[in-house]
Amino acid sequence: MLKLTIKDDFIKLGQAMKLADLADSGVEAKLLIQDGQVSVNGEVEFQRGRKLRDGDVFELEGTQVQIVSREI
């Protein structure tokens, strides 16, 4: 499982997909999400603006990414 460290309280799903190199652009992320190919915490997600917080896990094509908040 990949880990994606964020500095804020949350990150939007589309942004997280780009940072994790699972989408080359926001448009690509949007299409993947709209097609039902992305799940968050085990459930299919259709909103690219979904806020992901520390501990959330999203998955695309078998690649899982866990969100980790950087401790200040």
Side-chain angles (χ1 to χ4, degrees), residues 51-68:
K51 293 178 181 178
L52 303 177
R53 294 180 165 77
D54 185 51
D56 284 338
V57 176
F58 69 93
E59 182 175 352
L60 172 65
E61 297 176 349
T63 301
Q64 293 185 330
V65 181
Q66 182 177 25
I67 304 301
V68 179

Side-chain angles (χ1 to χ4, degrees), residues 7-26:
K7 60 183 177 183
D8 297 316
D9 291 338
F10 67 87
I11 187 170
K12 292 183 179 179
L13 178 57
Q15 294 171 323
M17 289 175 64
K18 290 189 294 185
L19 286 176
D21 291 327
L22 296 179
D24 294 328
S25 67

